[in-house]
């Protein structure tokens, strides 16, 4: 997670390189959370009617009800936790561009290529329950929008955990390089 950045001596010899991963919200996140909750409640009701309700003893009834509720609460919360964890994206940055890939199983699918020369700005806006940032990358020809999710402790959260700070840093280097080649 985060940016893996190679040392300055490596950069002088081979050029800038960084790679890592970050997580974004699923587009259908509210629907997925509602579906996970509904499936959990339906399964709980089925198991309740099959196992818990037929119990003759009051003690067995309470024990079965507790176990049924505890198991399905854990299953439901686990599903919600996975959904809220977000979709994994990978990135690779070099001297001229940053490539963003979506991880799909063992494959990675190229979703965006951002050239430092084209970047006009990067803005961050906090998500309401502070679990991430809305990131808008403005390029010459298009706006890229990401809903990035933090996956760490609250006191360690900052926009530098996402790769978009590289765009701000490298934008200046790209402008300097273009000016030197024109001379």
């Amino acid at each position: 997670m985060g940016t893996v950045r190679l040392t300055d001596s490596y950069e002088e010899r081979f050029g800038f390189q960084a790679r890592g991963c970050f997580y974004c919200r699923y587009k259908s996140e509210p629907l997925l959370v509602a579906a996970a909750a509904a499936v959990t409640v339906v399964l709980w009701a089925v198991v309740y009617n099959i196992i818990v309700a037929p119990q003759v003893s009051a003690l067995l009834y309470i024990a079965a009800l507790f176990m049924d509720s505890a198991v399905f609460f854990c299953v439901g919360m686990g599903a919600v936790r996975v959904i809220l964890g977000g979709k994994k994206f990978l990135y690779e940055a070099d001297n001229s561009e940053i490539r963003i890939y979506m991880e799909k199983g063992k494959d990675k699918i190229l979703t965006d290529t951002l050239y430092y020369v084209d970047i006009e700005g990067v803005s961050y806006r906090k998500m309401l329950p502070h679990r991430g940032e809305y990131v808008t990358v403005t390029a010459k020809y298009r706006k890229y929008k990401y809903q990035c999710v933090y996956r760490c402790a609250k006191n360690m959260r900052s926009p530098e955990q996402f790769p978009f700070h590289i765009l701000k840093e490298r934008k200046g280097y790209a402008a300097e390089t273009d000016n030197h080649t024109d001379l």
Side-chain angles (χ1 to χ4, degrees), residues 71-96:
V71 166
F72 284 105
F73 177 77
C74 291
V75 168
M77 290 310 294
V80 168
R81 177 77 174 126
V82 168
I83 292 168
L84 294 179
K87 186 178 359 172
K88 186 175 183 180
F89 285 84
L90 305 170
Y91 66 91
E92 296 174 355
D94 58 23
N95 285 331
S96 60

Side-chain angles (χ1 to χ4, degrees), residues 1-2 23 81 84-86 124-133 148-162 165:
M1 189 168 104
Y23 295 84
R81 177 77 174 126
L84 294 179
Y124 296 90
R125 190 173 51 109
K126 292 185 189 307
M127 287 184 186
L128 268 180
H130 188 60
R131 43 179 289 254
E133 304 274 343
C148 298
V149 177
Y150 291 122
R151 292 184 55 129
C152 63
K154 286 185 179 181
N155 61 349
M156 298 175 63
R157 295 177 176 180
S158 75
E160 272 67 45
Q161 290 180 343
F162 307 124
H165 68 91

Side-chain angles (χ1 to χ4, degrees), residues 27-39:
K27 290 181 181 175
S28 58
E29 184 178 277
L31 182 63
L32 289 171
V33 170
V39 166

Side-chain angles (χ1 to χ4, degrees), residues 82-152:
V82 168
I83 292 168
L84 294 179
K87 186 178 359 172
K88 186 175 183 180
F89 285 84
L90 305 170
Y91 66 91
E92 296 174 355
D94 58 23
N95 285 331
S96 60
E97 66 188 19
I98 184 169
R99 291 171 303 284
I100 298 176
Y101 301 94
M102 179 177 63
E103 189 175 72
K104 192 160 190 150
K106 293 182 180 179
D107 299 327
K108 51 184 199 178
I109 300 166
L110 182 65
T111 57
D112 294 316
T113 302
L114 305 168
Y115 296 95
Y116 304 133
V117 178
D118 294 340
I119 302 301
E120 294 177 351
V122 178
S123 63
Y124 296 90
R125 190 173 51 109
K126 292 185 189 307
M127 287 184 186
L128 268 180
H130 188 60
R131 43 179 289 254
E133 304 274 343
Y134 294 109
V135 181
T136 304
V137 178
T138 307
K140 286 182 182 175
Y141 307 106
R142 182 177 164 203
K143 279 189 178 181
Y144 300 88
K145 295 185 178 189
Y146 299 92
Q147 297 178 2
C148 298
V149 177
Y150 291 122
R151 292 184 55 129
C152 63

Side-chain angles (χ1 to χ4, degrees), residues 53-70:
Q55 298 298 329
V56 178
S57 167
L59 186 58
L60 283 175
Y61 175 80
I62 292 171
L65 179 64
F66 174 75
M67 289 302 293
D68 182 34
S69 300

